Amino acid sequence: MTTDKNLKEILLDILDNLSGEKEGDVERFKFSLENADYEKKAPIPKGRLQEADTRMKLVDLLCEYYKEHDAVNVAISVLEKINLRDSAAKLKEARKKALGPQQIPETSANAYRVKYKEHIKNKYSTIKDMNARLGENVKLNNRYTKLIIVNEHRHKKQKEHEIMALGRRHAEIMVERASPITIANLFDSDKDGQSPQIVVLQGAAGIGKTLTARKIMLDWANEGLYQNRFDYVFYINCREINLVHEQGSVEDLILKNCPDQNAPTKEILMNPEKLLFIIDGFDELRFSFNQPTSNLCSDPCKKQPMEIILNSLFRKEVLHKSYLIITTRPTAMEKLGQCLKDERCAYAEILGFSENERKEYFYKFFGNEEQARRAFNFVKDNEMLFTMCFVPIACWIICTVLKQQMEAGEDLAQTSDTITGIYMLYLFSLLEGHSSNSEKQQVQDNLKGLCSLAADGLWRQKILFEEEDVKKHGLDKPDSLFLNENMFQKGIGCERVYSFIHLSFQEFFAALFYVLEKEETAKKSETAIQPVEKLFEKCGKSRNYLMLTVQFLFGLLNKKRMEEMEKNLSCKFSPQIKNSLLMWVKEKPFLSLFNYDKLLSGKEEIIFYLDYFYCLYEIQETKFVQSAMNHFTELKFTHHTFTKMDQIVLQFCIKNCCKLESIYIEKCRFLTEGPNEDSPGPCKWPLRLEWCRLTDTVCGTLAAILRTSQSLTELKLPDNILGDAGVWLLCEGLKHPNCKLKTLDLWKCRLTDAACGDLAAVLRTSQSLTELNLSGNKLGDAGVKLLCEGLKHPNCKLERLLMWSCGVTDAACGDLATVFRTSQSLTELDLGAHYSLGDAGVQFLCEGLKHPNCKLERLKLWSCHLTDDSYRDLAGVLSTSHSLTELNLSHNKLGS
């Protein structure tokens, strides 16, 4: 016998007893029901009560109007009101017995709550990353980072700006027009004092809805959330519900959350106003929810198909005083709205991470402060990556990739994945972790339509799509993984439009359109899509809105990525378009590739070059890049600020530029990891970077160029803050057998004697370096001693050494004299501006200059505090030397 029947029998027994005890008690009971104010629900209409002319009809009316459980509460309340307290007590006792033998006294639900909370804490305190191995868990509180949640609908223009913005501006737009709320505020009263019973928490795929739901569960169990509001919070996973084929009840859903089958469910259900159900992933449910109201279930213990049980919860047919949080992607909002018709609901949307929260997430993910700082600065410098990080799952992907590179000891600048690679990982992760198999199949089926929609929108410069746009491209059912649904007010009604989560994702899918094998998804005349040749042509004139698509196109042409896409998306790439496009790009001079009808100059030319280099960086195929860069012999950049990412891209292209002879960089800024470590200054290559305040961090990039460039012969870095660490990095490139550098200028680069050992190693191995300027550095006698070890080596090819104002005294001159006696290449030495060198130093030098093996032709000893004694020694050298032809003794105290 069901609980429903038991409750009806109890009520019937009580009314039978009333009629047997005293004449008129039943009529008094019916009269009081006319005025019964139960939970703000209007009393039963008088006419209906009059129609209930038998006790059985009265019981049926009570149970129909109030639902079975509440009908008993109403009866108890009315009996007490008309002073039939014995009958009220009997009804209470009978109800307690009817609730089942496993129920214990009134405190059972309270006592069990302690056990339940412990279970929830254990279950929800950890999470598993998508790539977790057996036993690898992460503490939820160590990873969870606050998300921007707003409870205001945005206007159409605001949404457009948010979709299009990049970098920091995107982060600012997310919060500047809305007042963020927290999960603690979800059930706060509105301006009219009304508190919602249902909160719909919507957000795009991967935005953090499930993690937020789990965080609510954990915080409630830890007594940090909703303590006075809810006695129990239950989590219902919609993806798991799809797998349930047998019938169940609300009671079963509760038991599934509990640590055992002994939960006092009947007592828990007696206080529905103290229950919160979190229904996570409504958009993933495969149910239609088209049942008529008469099919819904009002008994929480009655078993029904899961579709009816959930629909009854949504429509408040069962436990109508309970509370719900429902998470969903935007594309299911219309379907959910039909289920929640006429109910008191609140709307909230998860927008993602703000700039500060992105930084916090990095520090939580890495755990190591230095690693987190390096990774975050690297990402912040890349506008596209930084924008992507507003999506938590994208943030996780980027952090995971960077951490693996760091742990492998790799340089982020050298090995980090391209934008195309990161977007592909994002796409794959959504398919793997945020959709069912049927939904994956739907995405694969819809992929060409999705790409066609993206490309059509790009050519029309359109980012918000109406339903007819979506259907035109064969997308009868909008794709819920990659398209967001937005509702905007229009006149006296609303309009439904669709958009990609961000413009960059639309551009990614537009690029994918050009490389997929074609199959008509829309009539050609109906779209604005132009052939790929037109894409390049138009990009030359309007690069602002097409260049990123071109970058993605280059990235997708990478052979390895094409194979990954075919494997993960079960789609076919067009080999014909790849081959013809690659040949076309290789053969065309790049200016004509983009159809420029005039030569560029100044800032336009710089942006053009960098755009081109970013495209080549995306493809990451050495042979192709070398072929594309083959016609460059000279590059020029003026008045430009190079971000860290610009420098990475520039390095990649220059090292694959086999015929490059010179690069001019004038009055540029090179940004480094520190916000203040950059400064403007005039610079000139081949490779000349004067007064740019470059630090040691740039030297790794320069070393990579030295290792690979076959044409770079001159590197000038005067007046930069390289230091010994920077020179050590530089020397790693200079020692490489591929290095062809002839001239190196390190004037005033904050070097000490420690750098001289590294430079000496270069002198011993380099077959090309013939000129070295170390002037203006505090090398001292110890530094000169180390340097001479390299200069004396038979492999040393150095011809010209400038060391004026290096803190050298007479003590170092003996080492230099030894070099004169042994070196077969050194022909010029500048030791000017050494006041401590003096006559004693010159005497040592002359011993070497007189040696028959000495090849020195030019010696500069200006401003060295020399006297007539030095003049006599040098005169003796001039009379015997067969090589010395030039001697500079200006600004010394010489007599006649």
Side-chain angles (χ1 to χ4, degrees), residues 332-362:
M333 286 293 284
E334 181 184 13
K335 181 179 175 182
L336 179 57
Q338 291 168 352
C339 295
L340 304 178
K341 202 175 290 180
D342 302 326
E343 293 299 338
R344 212 163 68 234
C345 297
Y347 157 92
E349 181 180 1
I350 300 176
L351 301 185
F353 290 143
S354 68
E355 179 175 350
N356 288 337
E357 271 65 54
R358 290 173 219 189
K359 184 174 183 179
E360 182 185 335
Y361 183 90
F362 270 72

PDB file of all heavy atoms in Angstrom, residues 332-362:
ATOM      1  N   ALA A 332      19.758  26.034 -24.128  1.00  0.00           N
ATOM      2  CA  ALA A 332      18.611  25.275 -23.603  1.00  0.00           C
ATOM      3  C   ALA A 332      17.664  26.156 -22.796  1.00  0.00           C
ATOM      4  O   ALA A 332      16.725  25.659 -22.173  1.00  0.00           O
ATOM      5  CB  ALA A 332      19.118  24.123 -22.731  1.00  0.00           C
ATOM      6  N   MET A 333      17.884  27.460 -22.802  1.00  0.00           N
ATOM      7  CA  MET A 333      17.084  28.358 -21.973  1.00  0.00           C
ATOM      8  C   MET A 333      15.609  28.375 -22.371  1.00  0.00           C
ATOM      9  O   MET A 333      14.720  28.434 -21.527  1.00  0.00           O
ATOM     10  CB  MET A 333      17.656  29.777 -22.031  1.00  0.00           C
ATOM     11  CG  MET A 333      18.936  29.960 -21.236  1.00  0.00           C
ATOM     12  SD  MET A 333      18.682  29.808 -19.455  1.00  0.00           S
ATOM     13  CE  MET A 333      17.912  31.386 -19.107  1.00  0.00           C
ATOM     14  N   GLU A 334      15.317  28.295 -23.666  1.00  0.00           N
ATOM     15  CA  GLU A 334      13.921  28.319 -24.105  1.00  0.00           C
ATOM     16  C   GLU A 334      13.184  27.078 -23.595  1.00  0.00           C
ATOM     17  O   GLU A 334      12.076  27.162 -23.060  1.00  0.00           O
ATOM     18  CB  GLU A 334      13.845  28.391 -25.628  1.00  0.00           C
ATOM     19  CG  GLU A 334      12.412  28.454 -26.143  1.00  0.00           C
ATOM     20  CD  GLU A 334      12.328  28.437 -27.654  1.00  0.00           C
ATOM     21  OE1 GLU A 334      13.338  28.130 -28.313  1.00  0.00           O
ATOM     22  OE2 GLU A 334      11.243  28.723 -28.180  1.00  0.00           O
ATOM     23  N   LYS A 335      13.817  25.923 -23.761  1.00  0.00           N
ATOM     24  CA  LYS A 335      13.213  24.663 -23.308  1.00  0.00           C
ATOM     25  C   LYS A 335      13.004  24.673 -21.802  1.00  0.00           C
ATOM     26  O   LYS A 335      11.936  24.284 -21.295  1.00  0.00           O
ATOM     27  CB  LYS A 335      14.132  23.512 -23.710  1.00  0.00           C
ATOM     28  CG  LYS A 335      13.635  22.126 -23.339  1.00  0.00           C
ATOM     29  CD  LYS A 335      14.654  21.096 -23.837  1.00  0.00           C
ATOM     30  CE  LYS A 335      14.293  19.704 -23.390  1.00  0.00           C
ATOM     31  NZ  LYS A 335      15.305  18.718 -23.828  1.00  0.00           N
ATOM     32  N   LEU A 336      13.993  25.176 -21.056  1.00  0.00           N
ATOM     33  CA  LEU A 336      13.870  25.255 -19.605  1.00  0.00           C
ATOM     34  C   LEU A 336      12.772  26.232 -19.213  1.00  0.00           C
ATOM     35  O   LEU A 336      11.992  25.982 -18.282  1.00  0.00           O
ATOM     36  CB  LEU A 336      15.210  25.679 -18.988  1.00  0.00           C
ATOM     37  CG  LEU A 336      15.245  25.843 -17.467  1.00  0.00           C
ATOM     38  CD1 LEU A 336      14.831  24.557 -16.756  1.00  0.00           C
ATOM     39  CD2 LEU A 336      16.633  26.275 -17.002  1.00  0.00           C
ATOM     40  N   GLY A 337      12.692  27.346 -19.921  1.00  0.00           N
ATOM     41  CA  GLY A 337      11.668  28.344 -19.624  1.00  0.00           C
ATOM     42  C   GLY A 337      10.263  27.788 -19.716  1.00  0.00           C
ATOM     43  O   GLY A 337       9.371  28.164 -18.942  1.00  0.00           O
ATOM     44  N   GLN A 338      10.038  26.860 -20.658  1.00  0.00           N
ATOM     45  CA  GLN A 338       8.719  26.242 -20.785  1.00  0.00           C
ATOM     46  C   GLN A 338       8.392  25.355 -19.594  1.00  0.00           C
ATOM     47  O   GLN A 338       7.247  25.234 -19.186  1.00  0.00           O
ATOM     48  CB  GLN A 338       8.664  25.428 -22.080  1.00  0.00           C
ATOM     49  CG  GLN A 338       8.696  26.294 -23.331  1.00  0.00           C
ATOM     50  CD  GLN A 338       8.929  25.485 -24.593  1.00  0.00           C
ATOM     51  OE1 GLN A 338       9.204  24.291 -24.537  1.00  0.00           O
ATOM     52  NE2 GLN A 338       8.823  26.149 -25.741  1.00  0.00           N
ATOM     53  N   CYS A 339       9.435  24.733 -19.017  1.00  0.00           N
ATOM     54  CA  CYS A 339       9.231  23.882 -17.829  1.00  0.00           C
ATOM     55  C   CYS A 339       8.959  24.718 -16.584  1.00  0.00           C
ATOM     56  O   CYS A 339       8.328  24.239 -15.632  1.00  0.00           O
ATOM     57  CB  CYS A 339      10.462  23.015 -17.583  1.00  0.00           C
ATOM     58  SG  CYS A 339      10.788  21.811 -18.872  1.00  0.00           S
ATOM     59  N   LEU A 340       9.474  25.945 -16.550  1.00  0.00           N
ATOM     60  CA  LEU A 340       9.384  26.767 -15.337  1.00  0.00           C
ATOM     61  C   LEU A 340       8.276  27.806 -15.443  1.00  0.00           C
ATOM     62  O   LEU A 340       8.263  28.783 -14.707  1.00  0.00           O
ATOM     63  CB  LEU A 340      10.717  27.485 -15.100  1.00  0.00           C
ATOM     64  CG  LEU A 340      11.963  26.598 -15.009  1.00  0.00           C
ATOM     65  CD1 LEU A 340      13.206  27.443 -14.815  1.00  0.00           C
ATOM     66  CD2 LEU A 340      11.848  25.586 -13.874  1.00  0.00           C
ATOM     67  N   LYS A 341       7.361  27.604 -16.344  1.00  0.00           N
ATOM     68  CA  LYS A 341       6.307  28.591 -16.594  1.00  0.00           C
ATOM     69  C   LYS A 341       5.591  28.988 -15.299  1.00  0.00           C
ATOM     70  O   LYS A 341       5.214  28.137 -14.496  1.00  0.00           O
ATOM     71  CB  LYS A 341       5.292  28.017 -17.577  1.00  0.00           C
ATOM     72  CG  LYS A 341       4.480  29.072 -18.311  1.00  0.00           C
ATOM     73  CD  LYS A 341       3.591  28.425 -19.349  1.00  0.00           C
ATOM     74  CE  LYS A 341       4.416  27.876 -20.502  1.00  0.00           C
ATOM     75  NZ  LYS A 341       3.562  27.233 -21.517  1.00  0.00           N
ATOM     76  N   ASP A 342       5.447  30.290 -15.098  1.00  0.00           N
ATOM     77  CA  ASP A 342       4.678  30.859 -13.983  1.00  0.00           C
ATOM     78  C   ASP A 342       5.311  30.602 -12.608  1.00  0.00           C
ATOM     79  O   ASP A 342       4.670  30.810 -11.590  1.00  0.00           O
ATOM     80  CB  ASP A 342       3.242  30.328 -13.955  1.00  0.00           C
ATOM     81  CG  ASP A 342       2.510  30.634 -15.252  1.00  0.00           C
ATOM     82  OD1 ASP A 342       2.796  31.704 -15.829  1.00  0.00           O
ATOM     83  OD2 ASP A 342       1.673  29.817 -15.673  1.00  0.00           O
ATOM     84  N   GLU A 343       6.534  30.131 -12.581  1.00  0.00           N
ATOM     85  CA  GLU A 343       7.176  29.931 -11.276  1.00  0.00           C
ATOM     86  C   GLU A 343       8.071  31.130 -10.952  1.00  0.00           C
ATOM     87  O   GLU A 343       8.514  31.866 -11.829  1.00  0.00           O
ATOM     88  CB  GLU A 343       8.010  28.641 -11.284  1.00  0.00           C
ATOM     89  CG  GLU A 343       7.197  27.368 -11.398  1.00  0.00           C
ATOM     90  CD  GLU A 343       6.220  27.187 -10.239  1.00  0.00           C
ATOM     91  OE1 GLU A 343       6.433  27.784  -9.182  1.00  0.00           O
ATOM     92  OE2 GLU A 343       5.231  26.464 -10.423  1.00  0.00           O
ATOM     93  N   ARG A 344       8.341  31.312  -9.637  1.00  0.00           N
ATOM     94  CA  ARG A 344       9.164  32.432  -9.168  1.00  0.00           C
ATOM     95  C   ARG A 344      10.635  32.079  -9.388  1.00  0.00           C
ATOM     96  O   ARG A 344      11.222  31.292  -8.653  1.00  0.00           O
ATOM     97  CB  ARG A 344       8.875  32.672  -7.694  1.00  0.00           C
ATOM     98  CG  ARG A 344       9.010  34.133  -7.292  1.00  0.00           C
ATOM     99  CD  ARG A 344       8.353  34.433  -5.975  1.00  0.00           C
ATOM    100  NE  ARG A 344       9.025  33.799  -4.854  1.00  0.00           N
ATOM    101  CZ  ARG A 344       8.425  33.023  -3.972  1.00  0.00           C
ATOM    102  NH1 ARG A 344       7.146  32.770  -4.097  1.00  0.00           N
ATOM    103  NH2 ARG A 344       9.083  32.499  -2.968  1.00  0.00           N
ATOM    104  N   CYS A 345      11.258  32.657 -10.436  1.00  0.00           N
ATOM    105  CA  CYS A 345      12.620  32.290 -10.829  1.00  0.00           C
ATOM    106  C   CYS A 345      13.538  33.509 -10.801  1.00  0.00           C
ATOM    107  O   CYS A 345      13.097  34.643 -10.972  1.00  0.00           O
ATOM    108  CB  CYS A 345      12.642  31.722 -12.247  1.00  0.00           C
ATOM    109  SG  CYS A 345      11.706  30.223 -12.435  1.00  0.00           S
ATOM    110  N   ALA A 346      14.803  33.224 -10.611  1.00  0.00           N
ATOM    111  CA  ALA A 346      15.837  34.252 -10.748  1.00  0.00           C
ATOM    112  C   ALA A 346      16.828  33.774 -11.798  1.00  0.00           C
ATOM    113  O   ALA A 346      17.050  32.578 -11.962  1.00  0.00           O
ATOM    114  CB  ALA A 346      16.552  34.493  -9.416  1.00  0.00           C
ATOM    115  N   TYR A 347      17.421  34.724 -12.492  1.00  0.00           N
ATOM    116  CA  TYR A 347      18.371  34.416 -13.566  1.00  0.00           C
ATOM    117  C   TYR A 347      19.752  34.892 -13.147  1.00  0.00           C
ATOM    118  O   TYR A 347      19.919  35.976 -12.592  1.00  0.00           O
ATOM    119  CB  TYR A 347      17.924  35.130 -14.837  1.00  0.00           C
ATOM    120  CG  TYR A 347      19.010  35.373 -15.861  1.00  0.00           C
ATOM    121  CD1 TYR A 347      19.256  34.447 -16.874  1.00  0.00           C
ATOM    122  CD2 TYR A 347      19.792  36.531 -15.818  1.00  0.00           C
ATOM    123  CE1 TYR A 347      20.248  34.674 -17.814  1.00  0.00           C
ATOM    124  CE2 TYR A 347      20.779  36.765 -16.752  1.00  0.00           C
ATOM    125  CZ  TYR A 347      21.005  35.831 -17.756  1.00  0.00           C
ATOM    126  OH  TYR A 347      21.993  36.061 -18.676  1.00  0.00           O
ATOM    127  N   ALA A 348      20.760  34.073 -13.389  1.00  0.00           N
ATOM    128  CA  ALA A 348      22.149  34.489 -13.163  1.00  0.00           C
ATOM    129  C   ALA A 348      23.002  33.884 -14.268  1.00  0.00           C
ATOM    130  O   ALA A 348      22.684  32.820 -14.800  1.00  0.00           O
ATOM    131  CB  ALA A 348      22.643  34.043 -11.793  1.00  0.00           C
ATOM    132  N   GLU A 349      24.066  34.593 -14.622  1.00  0.00           N
ATOM    133  CA  GLU A 349      24.932  34.106 -15.698  1.00  0.00           C
ATOM    134  C   GLU A 349      26.383  34.138 -15.240  1.00  0.00           C
ATOM    135  O   GLU A 349      26.848  35.114 -14.647  1.00  0.00           O
ATOM    136  CB  GLU A 349      24.772  34.968 -16.950  1.00  0.00           C
ATOM    137  CG  GLU A 349      25.634  34.484 -18.111  1.00  0.00           C
ATOM    138  CD  GLU A 349      25.483  35.337 -19.365  1.00  0.00           C
ATOM    139  OE1 GLU A 349      24.706  36.326 -19.331  1.00  0.00           O
ATOM    140  OE2 GLU A 349      26.136  35.020 -20.377  1.00  0.00           O
ATOM    141  N   ILE A 350      27.103  33.046 -15.504  1.00  0.00           N
ATOM    142  CA  ILE A 350      28.545  32.994 -15.227  1.00  0.00           C
ATOM    143  C   ILE A 350      29.266  33.537 -16.449  1.00  0.00           C
ATOM    144  O   ILE A 350      29.125  33.004 -17.549  1.00  0.00           O
ATOM    145  CB  ILE A 350      29.010  31.556 -14.931  1.00  0.00           C
ATOM    146  CG1 ILE A 350      28.278  30.992 -13.709  1.00  0.00           C
ATOM    147  CG2 ILE A 350      30.514  31.526 -14.703  1.00  0.00           C
ATOM    148  CD1 ILE A 350      28.616  29.538 -13.412  1.00  0.00           C
ATOM    149  N   LEU A 351      30.027  34.610 -16.266  1.00  0.00           N
ATOM    150  CA  LEU A 351      30.751  35.221 -17.384  1.00  0.00           C
ATOM    151  C   LEU A 351      32.167  34.685 -17.519  1.00  0.00           C
ATOM    152  O   LEU A 351      32.762  34.770 -18.591  1.00  0.00           O
ATOM    153  CB  LEU A 351      30.807  36.749 -17.216  1.00  0.00           C
ATOM    154  CG  LEU A 351      29.470  37.491 -17.143  1.00  0.00           C
ATOM    155  CD1 LEU A 351      29.713  38.990 -17.095  1.00  0.00           C
ATOM    156  CD2 LEU A 351      28.580  37.136 -18.312  1.00  0.00           C
ATOM    157  N   GLY A 352      32.734  34.153 -16.430  1.00  0.00           N
ATOM    158  CA  GLY A 352      34.104  33.653 -16.480  1.00  0.00           C
ATOM    159  C   GLY A 352      35.001  34.398 -15.509  1.00  0.00           C
ATOM    160  O   GLY A 352      34.533  35.016 -14.550  1.00  0.00           O
ATOM    161  N   PHE A 353      36.309  34.343 -15.764  1.00  0.00           N
ATOM    162  CA  PHE A 353      37.297  34.964 -14.874  1.00  0.00           C
ATOM    163  C   PHE A 353      37.548  36.422 -15.250  1.00  0.00           C
ATOM    164  O   PHE A 353      37.677  36.746 -16.433  1.00  0.00           O
ATOM    165  CB  PHE A 353      38.648  34.239 -14.956  1.00  0.00           C
ATOM    166  CG  PHE A 353      38.654  32.860 -14.361  1.00  0.00           C
ATOM    167  CD1 PHE A 353      39.397  31.845 -14.948  1.00  0.00           C
ATOM    168  CD2 PHE A 353      37.948  32.577 -13.202  1.00  0.00           C
ATOM    169  CE1 PHE A 353      39.430  30.575 -14.398  1.00  0.00           C
ATOM    170  CE2 PHE A 353      37.975  31.307 -12.644  1.00  0.00           C
ATOM    171  CZ  PHE A 353      38.709  30.305 -13.250  1.00  0.00           C
ATOM    172  N   SER A 354      37.662  37.269 -14.239  1.00  0.00           N
ATOM    173  CA  SER A 354      38.157  38.630 -14.465  1.00  0.00           C
ATOM    174  C   SER A 354      39.683  38.554 -14.590  1.00  0.00           C
ATOM    175  O   SER A 354      40.279  37.483 -14.445  1.00  0.00           O
ATOM    176  CB  SER A 354      37.782  39.533 -13.282  1.00  0.00           C
ATOM    177  OG  SER A 354      38.507  39.123 -12.130  1.00  0.00           O
ATOM    178  N   GLU A 355      40.335  39.682 -14.826  1.00  0.00           N
ATOM    179  CA  GLU A 355      41.802  39.675 -14.960  1.00  0.00           C
ATOM    180  C   GLU A 355      42.467  39.196 -13.668  1.00  0.00           C
ATOM    181  O   GLU A 355      43.365  38.356 -13.694  1.00  0.00           O
ATOM    182  CB  GLU A 355      42.319  41.073 -15.322  1.00  0.00           C
ATOM    183  CG  GLU A 355      43.839  41.111 -15.454  1.00  0.00           C
ATOM    184  CD  GLU A 355      44.385  42.447 -15.921  1.00  0.00           C
ATOM    185  OE1 GLU A 355      43.579  43.316 -16.330  1.00  0.00           O
ATOM    186  OE2 GLU A 355      45.604  42.626 -15.893  1.00  0.00           O
ATOM    187  N   ASN A 356      42.012  39.715 -12.532  1.00  0.00           N
ATOM    188  CA  ASN A 356      42.616  39.317 -11.256  1.00  0.00           C
ATOM    189  C   ASN A 356      42.399  37.842 -10.964  1.00  0.00           C
ATOM    190  O   ASN A 356      43.278  37.160 -10.429  1.00  0.00           O
ATOM    191  CB  ASN A 356      42.042  40.162 -10.111  1.00  0.00           C
ATOM    192  CG  ASN A 356      42.538  41.593 -10.154  1.00  0.00           C
ATOM    193  OD1 ASN A 356      43.590  41.868 -10.732  1.00  0.00           O
ATOM    194  ND2 ASN A 356      41.790  42.509  -9.567  1.00  0.00           N
ATOM    195  N   GLU A 357      41.195  37.341 -11.321  1.00  0.00           N
ATOM    196  CA  GLU A 357      40.905  35.925 -11.065  1.00  0.00           C
ATOM    197  C   GLU A 357      41.725  35.021 -11.982  1.00  0.00           C
ATOM    198  O   GLU A 357      42.099  33.921 -11.596  1.00  0.00           O
ATOM    199  CB  GLU A 357      39.409  35.651 -11.240  1.00  0.00           C
ATOM    200  CG  GLU A 357      38.592  35.853  -9.973  1.00  0.00           C
ATOM    201  CD  GLU A 357      38.579  37.290  -9.482  1.00  0.00           C
ATOM    202  OE1 GLU A 357      38.226  38.174 -10.282  1.00  0.00           O
ATOM    203  OE2 GLU A 357      38.953  37.542  -8.320  1.00  0.00           O
ATOM    204  N   ARG A 358      42.016  35.493 -13.191  1.00  0.00           N
ATOM    205  CA  ARG A 358      42.878  34.704 -14.083  1.00  0.00           C
ATOM    206  C   ARG A 358      44.255  34.535 -13.438  1.00  0.00           C
ATOM    207  O   ARG A 358      44.824  33.440 -13.431  1.00  0.00           O
ATOM    208  CB  ARG A 358      43.028  35.399 -15.445  1.00  0.00           C
ATOM    209  CG  ARG A 358      41.756  35.368 -16.271  1.00  0.00           C
ATOM    210  CD  ARG A 358      41.853  36.202 -17.542  1.00  0.00           C
ATOM    211  NE  ARG A 358      40.590  36.888 -17.788  1.00  0.00           N
ATOM    212  CZ  ARG A 358      40.279  37.556 -18.876  1.00  0.00           C
ATOM    213  NH1 ARG A 358      41.133  37.631 -19.865  1.00  0.00           N
ATOM    214  NH2 ARG A 358      39.108  38.138 -19.008  1.00  0.00           N
ATOM    215  N   LYS A 359      44.762  35.632 -12.897  1.00  0.00           N
ATOM    216  CA  LYS A 359      46.065  35.577 -12.233  1.00  0.00           C
ATOM    217  C   LYS A 359      46.010  34.659 -11.023  1.00  0.00           C
ATOM    218  O   LYS A 359      46.904  33.821 -10.808  1.00  0.00           O
ATOM    219  CB  LYS A 359      46.475  36.998 -11.809  1.00  0.00           C
ATOM    220  CG  LYS A 359      47.874  37.067 -11.195  1.00  0.00           C
ATOM    221  CD  LYS A 359      48.255  38.515 -10.935  1.00  0.00           C
ATOM    222  CE  LYS A 359      49.692  38.596 -10.390  1.00  0.00           C
ATOM    223  NZ  LYS A 359      50.087  40.007 -10.165  1.00  0.00           N
ATOM    224  N   GLU A 360      44.954  34.773 -10.227  1.00  0.00           N
ATOM    225  CA  GLU A 360      44.793  33.913  -9.044  1.00  0.00           C
ATOM    226  C   GLU A 360      44.742  32.440  -9.443  1.00  0.00           C
ATOM    227  O   GLU A 360      45.341  31.585  -8.784  1.00  0.00           O
ATOM    228  CB  GLU A 360      43.513  34.294  -8.291  1.00  0.00           C
ATOM    229  CG  GLU A 360      43.290  33.487  -7.021  1.00  0.00           C
ATOM    230  CD  GLU A 360      41.964  33.801  -6.352  1.00  0.00           C
ATOM    231  OE1 GLU A 360      41.436  34.920  -6.546  1.00  0.00           O
ATOM    232  OE2 GLU A 360      41.437  32.909  -5.659  1.00  0.00           O
ATOM    233  N   TYR A 361      44.030  32.152 -10.548  1.00  0.00           N
ATOM    234  CA  TYR A 361      43.931  30.759 -11.002  1.00  0.00           C
ATOM    235  C   TYR A 361      45.320  30.216 -11.343  1.00  0.00           C
ATOM    236  O   TYR A 361      45.654  29.085 -10.978  1.00  0.00           O
ATOM    237  CB  TYR A 361      43.024  30.667 -12.233  1.00  0.00           C
ATOM    238  CG  TYR A 361      42.814  29.240 -12.710  1.00  0.00           C
ATOM    239  CD1 TYR A 361      41.761  28.477 -12.224  1.00  0.00           C
ATOM    240  CD2 TYR A 361      43.686  28.643 -13.618  1.00  0.00           C
ATOM    241  CE1 TYR A 361      41.570  27.167 -12.635  1.00  0.00           C
ATOM    242  CE2 TYR A 361      43.509  27.331 -14.039  1.00  0.00           C
ATOM    243  CZ  TYR A 361      42.451  26.600 -13.543  1.00  0.00           C
ATOM    244  OH  TYR A 361      42.279  25.294 -13.943  1.00  0.00           O
ATOM    245  N   PHE A 362      46.144  30.997 -12.034  1.00  0.00           N
ATOM    246  CA  PHE A 362      47.491  30.557 -12.385  1.00  0.00           C
ATOM    247  C   PHE A 362      48.297  30.226 -11.127  1.00  0.00           C
ATOM    248  O   PHE A 362      48.978  29.201 -11.070  1.00  0.00           O
ATOM    249  CB  PHE A 362      48.213  31.653 -13.185  1.00  0.00           C
ATOM    250  CG  PHE A 362      48.015  31.538 -14.669  1.00  0.00           C
ATOM    251  CD1 PHE A 362      46.792  31.837 -15.257  1.00  0.00           C
ATOM    252  CD2 PHE A 362      49.046  31.134 -15.500  1.00  0.00           C
ATOM    253  CE1 PHE A 362      46.597  31.725 -16.621  1.00  0.00           C
ATOM    254  CE2 PHE A 362      48.869  31.026 -16.873  1.00  0.00           C
ATOM    255  CZ  PHE A 362      47.639  31.331 -17.434  1.00  0.00           C
TER     256      PHE A 362
END
